[in-house]
Amino acid sequence: MVRVEEDRLNKEPPNLTFRKKEKGGINFTSIVPNTHLDLDTVKAICSEYKIHNADLTLRYDATADDLIDVIEGSRVYMPCIYAVNKIDQITLEELEILDRLPHYCPVGIFGLLSSSLCHLVLWPVLNSGTTRY
């Protein structure tokens, strides 16, 4: 998978509140237990962006990448479907392994596995504007 730095494919925007303020230091509040972020990590990330006064409220177990995405504010969250080509050339066992992957559409040249089948999957999902399907 190619990961573009500005895009987050098949992800929801982070459920956290980050607000810069004039003074008062970094206030770190969490509603749920955290395994990824603590006050020292938050201060280190904020200092990289020259932010010394801010309020941060976490509503889920956020990661450092989630905090950076919110601070930068330029991320785009969009749904996508991965089209797997030449699906008719693999075995049934390999197809069963692929079937466990989320967000994929098989495309093949023979039989029912054609691009028209992929269109039936693509349009409803991508037009809905949601990442849950």
Side-chain angles (χ1 to χ4, degrees):
M1 178 177 110
V2 176
R3 182 173 174 177
V4 179
E5 290 301 319
E6 297 294 320
D7 296 338
R8 298 289 183 252
L9 302 177
N10 294 327
K11 287 189 174 184
E12 296 283 331
N15 191 8
L16 57 93
T17 304
F18 184 81
R19 215 176 349 233
K20 292 181 187 179
K21 56 185 185 176
E22 293 295 320
K23 56 185 175 180
I26 303 288
N27 292 328
F28 178 66
T29 309
S30 180
I31 299 173
V32 297
N34 293 314
T35 58
H36 303 287
L37 291 176
D38 58 3
L39 183 58
D40 294 331
T41 307
V42 170
K43 284 183 178 180
I45 292 171
C46 288
S47 68
E48 289 290 322
Y49 289 92
K50 297 182 173 128
I51 299 171
H52 304 291
N53 301 301
D55 290 328
L56 174 66
T57 304
L58 298 181
R59 293 184 190 87
Y60 77 108
D61 191 17
T63 64
D65 286 338
D66 294 333
L67 177 58
I68 291 168
D69 288 351
V70 170
I71 290 173
E72 289 187 358
S74 62
R75 302 296 187 249
V76 177
Y77 297 87
M78 66 179 72
C80 79
I81 294 177
Y82 305 104
V84 180
N85 196 12
K86 297 189 178 186
I87 200 77
D88 50 349
Q89 296 180 1
I90 65 172
T91 65
L92 282 176
E93 292 81 19
E94 293 169 328
L95 184 59
E96 288 175 1
I97 293 170
L98 276 177
D99 198 34
R100 295 183 206 142
L101 299 174
H103 318 297
Y104 93 101
C105 180
V107 179
I109 220 165
F110 299 110
L112 296 175
L113 299 173
S114 66
S115 61
S116 62
L117 176 65
C118 205
H119 284 266
L120 294 174
V121 175
L122 285 174
W123 289 114
V125 172
L126 296 179
N127 283 334
S128 70
T130 181
T131 58
R132 295 177 189 218
Y133 36 89

